Amino acid sequence: MEILVCVKRVPQVGGKIVVTADGQDVDTRMSGFAMSPHEECAVEEAIQITERLGGGVSVLTLGPPDAAEQLREALALGAGRAVLLETDGREWGPVATADEIVAEARRDDGGPGYDLLLLGNEAADTGDYQVGVRVAHTLGWPCATGIKGIEITDGTVRARREYRGAEELFEFGLPAVITVKEGINLPRYPSLPGRLRAKRAVIETHQPRWRPDGLRKQALRVPATERKQATVLGNGVDAVPALVTLLGEMGVLP
């Protein structure tokens, strides 16, 4: 069982989001980078599948040279091969991204032929949900999205997802494309030997030619948020009458 997992380098934004002065990007100078959470689960799922059935896990990303960091994270977890489609840092659209993933899946240079492609259901930054479906369509492979459970027996996949309070079950053959959601598993922590192995690993690198998707970014803006203001009622016992009045207005007091 040969599995290719596609991951993306995204900003780790834990606080206030700031847009650059030109309105074209999120200012990441004060934040780090990581894999999208759904894709962390995709890596873990691939490793678990190969632990049960045998085979190997390759991990792929399209991004700047620094995206090798996310590939090494996946290698530390147990992936055996990493491929970087190196770009100059510009954001690629879903059409061009899917085409490059298809090119890797079809690459005929002695590399593995893949039985399964796993992707996150959507990237944490763009959230466009398109890449996995476009890859499957171009390859002519079956595709299941939003998956939170995978079973593979004798070349047949049973993929489960939740939809509007019900469970949907899909059954199809390999090769196939599956996009998974966070919660399908609990990603493991990398071991020290895994980190050392990942640090020494050679990352296979290709440099695809950038091309626009036909969509043009006008600008990014941070949505307006409700501003809240605190009112000081007083200090010590002097604040009690105002507090009682306020609680009465809120209907808390009988």
Side-chain angles (χ1 to χ4, degrees):
M1 174 73 66
E2 292 295 333
I3 303 175
L4 175 66
V5 185
C6 302
V7 303
K8 185 179 182 182
R9 174 183 172 88
V10 297
Q12 275 184 323
V13 182
K16 183 179 180 181
I17 297 175
V18 179
V19 176
T20 55
D22 63 2
Q24 293 298 304
D25 290 292
V26 175
D27 190 339
T28 59
R29 290 176 297 176
M30 302 301 293
S31 61
F33 290 85
M35 276 187 273
S36 289
H38 296 306
E39 294 161 0
E40 290 179 337
C41 291
V43 172
E44 174 64 28
E45 191 68 18
I47 294 169
Q48 290 187 17
I49 290 172
T50 55
E51 286 175 344
R52 295 193 302 267
L53 303 178
V57 176
S58 298
V59 62
L60 166 76
T61 193
L62 185 149
D66 288 343
E69 177 185 354
Q70 280 63 55
L71 293 177
R72 294 194 188 279
E73 290 175 10
L75 291 170
L77 293 172
R81 173 174 170 261
V83 181
L84 172 62
L85 303 180
E86 186 178 310
T87 71
D88 59 5
R90 282 182 287 184
E91 181 70 26
W92 284 49
V95 176
T97 300
D99 287 346
E100 292 303 327
I101 294 173
V102 169
E104 166 59 26
R106 290 174 170 171
R107 198 179 301 281
D108 186 17
D109 56 2
Y114 299 110
D115 303 292
L116 179 64
L117 268 63
L118 292 181
L119 300 89
N121 200 55
E122 73 269 6
D125 52 356
T126 56
D128 51 32
Y129 298 81
Q130 295 186 39
V131 174
V133 175
R134 290 181 179 277
V135 168
H137 177 75
T138 304
L139 290 172
W141 293 2
C143 178
T145 63
I147 298 304
K148 298 193 74 171
I150 299 174
E151 298 176 11
I152 301 177
T153 306
D154 298 328
T156 299
V157 181
R158 290 169 62 88
R160 174 180 54 82
R161 74 178 181 190
E162 299 168 2
Y163 181 69
R164 293 184 176 179
E167 182 177 275
E168 296 182 335
L169 184 64
F170 303 90
E171 186 171 298
F172 47 89
L174 295 172
V177 177
I178 297 177
T179 73
V180 304
K181 296 192 71 172
E182 187 177 9
I184 189 174
N185 54 48
L186 181 63
R188 69 192 71 188
Y189 288 100
S191 64
L192 179 58
R195 289 185 182 276
L196 295 174
R197 182 176 62 252
K199 187 176 181 179
R200 297 190 300 266
V202 176
I203 294 178
E204 182 180 328
T205 303
H206 304 281
Q207 295 175 324
R209 182 178 178 182
W210 184 85
R211 59 189 184 279
D213 264 4
L215 299 177
R216 185 177 63 189
K217 183 194 301 181
Q218 293 290 341
L220 300 177
R221 63 178 179 86
V222 178
T225 57
E226 181 182 355
R227 299 188 65 178
K228 297 182 179 180
Q229 182 176 352
T231 301
V232 178
L233 299 177
N235 296 311
V237 295
D238 294 336
V240 173
L243 176 60
V244 172
T245 300
L246 177 62
L247 294 176
E249 293 174 351
M250 295 173 60
V252 175
L253 298 179

